[in-house]
Amino acid sequence: MNQDSQDKWSNYRSELIFSDFCINADFSVDIPALIQECRTSQNLQLSKNRSNVGGWQSQVYTNTSKKNLNHLQQMVLEFSLGAIQKEGFEVTRNRSAWWININNNESYNVIHTHGRADVIGIFYLQVPKNAGELEILRNDGMTYTSLRTNRNARLSSLYSVNPEVSKFYMFPGHVWHHVKQSYMTEDRISISYNIEFQ
């Protein structure tokens, strides 16, 4: 990642989980403007209900007329390409599709994968207290051994993410994950990305 990237994101971290990885970094973006654009989208369309129960999900976008959401998508593309190259994968370009998630009190997301997406990205705009953790579940043969109870993230069968505002998380698309039920007084707002590399 180049020097210009330092103004866009910070606190880069790559962690081995199971036989895979979870990468995260803090993005420097205009959170209030992004929330406003997400709310505008919510007011203009009904929920698509892919994995959420009780919350709202937007249609899938590849681009939009909304300035800040487009800027964030470009950051996600640049970051994810650099991060994957840094992990040793030989890729030269990528593309993404994305959608907005707004979860309210007692809502959650059922266990799911993102199909053939190479990686999943999740960016958090609003995370109130008791917003519900993102749980990533191991889905290979290791889950059947006694080693799965080990607290080491490489051997464990569960990896929990306590989401933070302005943080982007990225992990392989084949990995099962869900969001625990929320008990909160404000909405939890995030944007999910399906990213494919070439």
Side-chain angles (χ1 to χ4, degrees), residues 43 74 99 106 119 123 138 140 144 197:
N43 291 334
Q74 290 308 309
W99 59 95
E106 297 187 359
V119 296
F123 181 75
R138 187 168 192 150
D140 64 9
Y144 304 111
F197 296 98

Coordinates of all heavy atoms in Angstrom, one line a residue, residues 43 74 99 106 119 123 138 140 144 197:
N43 N -35.4 5.5 3.0 CA -36.7 6.1 2.8 C -37.3 6.0 1.4 O -38.5 6.1 1.2 CB -36.6 7.6 3.1 CG -36.3 7.9 4.6 OD1 -36.7 7.1 5.5 ND2 -35.7 9.0 4.9
Q74 N -14.9 3.3 -3.6 CA -13.6 3.4 -4.2 C -12.5 3.1 -3.2 O -11.5 2.4 -3.5 CB -13.3 4.8 -4.8 CG -14.2 5.0 -6.1 CD -14.0 3.9 -7.1 OE1 -12.9 3.5 -7.5 NE2 -15.1 3.3 -7.6
W99 N -24.4 -3.3 -0.5 CA -25.7 -2.9 0.0 C -25.6 -2.4 1.4 O -24.7 -2.7 2.2 CB -26.7 -4.1 -0.1 CG -26.2 -5.3 0.7 CD1 -26.6 -5.7 2.0 CD2 -25.3 -6.4 0.3 NE1 -26.0 -6.8 2.4 CE2 -25.2 -7.3 1.3 CE3 -24.6 -6.6 -0.9 CZ2 -24.4 -8.4 1.3 CZ3 -23.8 -7.7 -1.0 CH2 -23.7 -8.6 0.1
E106 N -33.6 -5.7 18.5 CA -34.0 -7.1 18.4 C -33.8 -7.7 17.0 O -34.2 -8.9 16.8 CB -35.4 -7.4 19.0 CG -35.5 -7.1 20.5 CD -36.8 -7.5 21.1 OE1 -37.7 -8.0 20.3 OE2 -37.0 -7.3 22.3
V119 N -13.9 -12.2 -1.4 CA -13.9 -11.7 0.0 C -15.2 -10.9 0.3 O -15.9 -10.4 -0.6 CB -12.7 -10.9 0.4 CG1 -11.4 -11.7 0.3 CG2 -12.6 -9.6 -0.5
F123 N -18.3 -2.4 6.4 CA -17.9 -1.1 7.0 C -19.0 -0.7 7.9 O -20.2 -0.7 7.6 CB -17.7 -0.1 5.9 CG -17.2 1.2 6.4 CD1 -15.9 1.4 6.8 CD2 -18.1 2.3 6.5 CE1 -15.5 2.6 7.4 CE2 -17.7 3.5 7.0 CZ -16.4 3.7 7.4
R138 N -16.1 -21.3 11.8 CA -15.2 -22.2 11.1 C -16.1 -23.3 10.4 O -17.0 -23.8 11.0 CB -14.2 -22.9 12.0 CG -13.2 -23.7 11.3 CD -12.0 -24.1 12.1 NE -11.0 -24.7 11.3 CZ -9.7 -24.6 11.5 NH1 -9.3 -24.0 12.6 NH2 -8.8 -25.1 10.7
D140 N -14.7 -26.1 8.3 CA -14.0 -27.2 7.7 C -13.9 -28.3 8.7 O -14.5 -28.3 9.8 CB -12.6 -26.7 7.3 CG -11.7 -26.2 8.5 OD1 -12.1 -26.4 9.7 OD2 -10.6 -25.7 8.3
Y144 N -14.8 -30.8 13.9 CA -15.2 -32.1 14.4 C -14.2 -32.6 15.4 O -14.3 -33.7 16.0 CB -15.4 -33.1 13.3 CG -16.4 -32.6 12.3 CD1 -16.0 -32.2 11.0 CD2 -17.8 -32.5 12.7 CE1 -17.0 -31.8 10.1 CE2 -18.7 -32.0 11.8 CZ -18.3 -31.6 10.5 OH -19.2 -31.1 9.6
F197 N -11.9 -10.7 -7.3 CA -10.6 -10.4 -7.8 C -10.3 -11.1 -9.1 O -10.8 -12.1 -9.4 CB -9.5 -10.7 -6.8 CG -9.6 -10.0 -5.5 CD1 -10.2 -10.6 -4.4 CD2 -9.1 -8.7 -5.4 CE1 -10.3 -9.9 -3.2 CE2 -9.2 -8.0 -4.2 CZ -9.8 -8.6 -3.1

